[in-house]
Amino acid sequence: MPRDFSDFKSSLRSIHNWILLLGAALGLGVYFPTWLSLAATTQVSGMPHLILNVLLIGLAVRQLRRDQHHASLDQPLTEDQWLGSSLVLGGLAIFYFYYPATAPQAFGCMIMLIGGTLSYLGSSFLRHQWLAIALLTISLHPNWQRIARHLWSIFAPPKALAEFMAWGGSWVLRAIGQPVDLQNEFVILPAGSVEVAPGCDGFEMAFVIMIAAVIIGLAFRVRAIVMVRLIAIGITLALLLNIVRIAVMVLAAVYWGKAAFEFWHGSIGGQVFSGVLFTIYYYAIQPILNLKREGTG
């Protein structure tokens, strides 16, 4: 009986190793080029999404290296191998049946990563290194801004943020003496009007600063409540600065000419505002980070 059980475990290991190999081959050979191409060409506030992915991978590696001496490397249980292999097979099925759609590819690879970790390293490792595995899993999607936009649309009307930006921009213009009328997402001046489109509603800037806040919080290992504060400060600053950007673009479109509008509306103007945003954000969160360094945050 013991020999039969040993043979069973050996055969299972062989089977699940082949399953892991198949998942890794499909992920690296088929999905990786797609991931790299899309992440490199997808722009988030003028910055390639690939930079965010690489930062998440770097944080995951840092977490794994930091806790490598505490992680359990025991032989995975047979149940872990079965469950992990089943997850990998499920991810492969999703990948195959929905190919070449990008989102199912990413979702299938996420499932395969979790299943492979469970099958090869066991549930104890997965529990201990859940944060690193979560960061690696998130990094497998080449466009999280699109996912975030879909989630936002569930809880708010499609043009809610654009209308808020139009209202804020009109308030700034009134503050500097401009005769402004407001109609939904349209900012109207006597010499012309400008529509605040969804792409200019500040969502991208808020998304990037939120990711930056999460990365900073993980890097400094802050508590959850401090992480929430970092995110809240970043999103607030992003939306306020985008209101100023809307006012500048309205003035450029109505009074300064097409070239000026294209400058502030394009990638260069976006980078200028992003640089200002991150500079203000850096100084705004320094008191919080200083408390963390002193051990009281």
Side-chain angles (χ1 to χ4, degrees):
M1 189 67 173
R3 180 176 177 79
D4 293 339
F5 183 71
S6 176
D7 292 340
F8 170 74
K9 290 185 65 176
S10 298
S11 64
L12 175 62
R13 179 173 302 182
S14 177
I15 293 172
H16 103 269
N17 281 345
W18 278 106
I19 293 174
L20 292 181
L21 180 61
L22 180 59
L26 193 66
L28 293 175
V30 180
Y31 180 65
F32 178 74
T34 302
W35 173 86
L36 185 61
S37 175
L38 291 177
T41 55
T42 300
Q43 298 288 318
V44 183
S45 290
M47 176 180 64
H49 197 288
L50 183 61
I51 295 177
L52 298 178
N53 295 88
V54 171
L55 287 173
L56 291 174
I57 294 172
L59 283 173
V61 173
R62 179 174 179 263
Q63 185 71 23
L64 289 170
R65 288 174 60 88
R66 173 179 292 172
D67 296 337
Q68 62 181 341
H69 299 298
H70 306 289
S72 173
L73 297 178
D74 297 334
Q75 186 70 21
L77 300 175
T78 303
E79 294 82 358
D80 293 340
Q81 293 181 350
W82 272 115
L83 179 57
S85 298
S86 299
L87 288 173
V88 174
L89 289 174
L92 287 169
I94 293 173
F95 196 102
Y96 175 78
F97 286 112
Y98 290 94
Y99 184 83
T102 302
Q105 288 185 62
F107 185 57
C109 287
M110 292 176 186
I111 295 176
M112 285 189 281
L113 174 62
I114 297 173
T117 303
L118 176 62
S119 181
Y120 191 72
L121 297 173
S123 57
S124 59
F125 180 89
L126 195 62
R127 285 194 301 268
H128 186 82
Q129 296 286 6
W130 69 269
L131 179 57
I133 301 302
L135 291 171
L136 288 174
T137 301
I138 293 172
S139 71
L140 291 177
H141 199 286
N143 191 353
W144 273 105
Q145 179 195 325
R146 183 178 179 183
I147 302 298
R149 177 73 76 169
H150 283 312
L151 292 175
W152 169 257
S153 66
I154 295 174
F155 301 100
K159 296 184 178 181
L161 192 55
E163 291 178 2
F164 175 74
M165 288 294 116
W167 173 84
S170 66
W171 186 88
V172 172
L173 291 171
R174 289 193 189 98
I176 61 175
Q178 294 292 325
V180 180
D181 287 326
L182 181 65
Q183 185 176 353
N184 297 327
E185 70 273 20
F186 290 88
V187 181
I188 304 170
L189 291 173
S193 63
V194 174
E195 177 187 7
V196 181
C200 298
D201 60 5
F203 188 89
E204 283 191 17
M205 294 178 70
F207 174 78
V208 171
I209 203 71
M210 181 187 72
I211 297 297
V214 171
I215 291 174
I216 292 171
L218 293 174
F220 281 85
R221 300 176 70 89
V222 301
R223 295 177 300 173
I225 185 63
V226 178
M227 179 81 78
V228 172
R229 291 167 61 189
L230 293 176
I231 294 173
I233 292 172
I235 291 177
T236 301
L237 288 175
L239 295 179
L240 290 176
L241 193 62
N242 195 68
I243 287 175
V244 177
R245 185 187 181 195
I246 293 298
V248 171
M249 287 195 296
V250 170
L251 292 174
V254 175
Y255 296 120
W256 302 341
K258 182 179 179 181
F261 174 77
E262 293 296 336
F263 175 84
W264 290 112
H265 185 262
S267 59
I268 297 178
Q271 290 294 332
V272 170
F273 278 97
S274 295
V276 174
L277 170 62
F278 277 97
T279 300
I280 297 174
Y281 182 66
Y282 171 80
Y283 287 105
I285 65 174
Q286 281 306 303
I288 298 176
L289 298 182
N290 288 337
L291 288 175
K292 171 61 182 176
R293 294 190 191 101
E294 295 169 4
T296 59

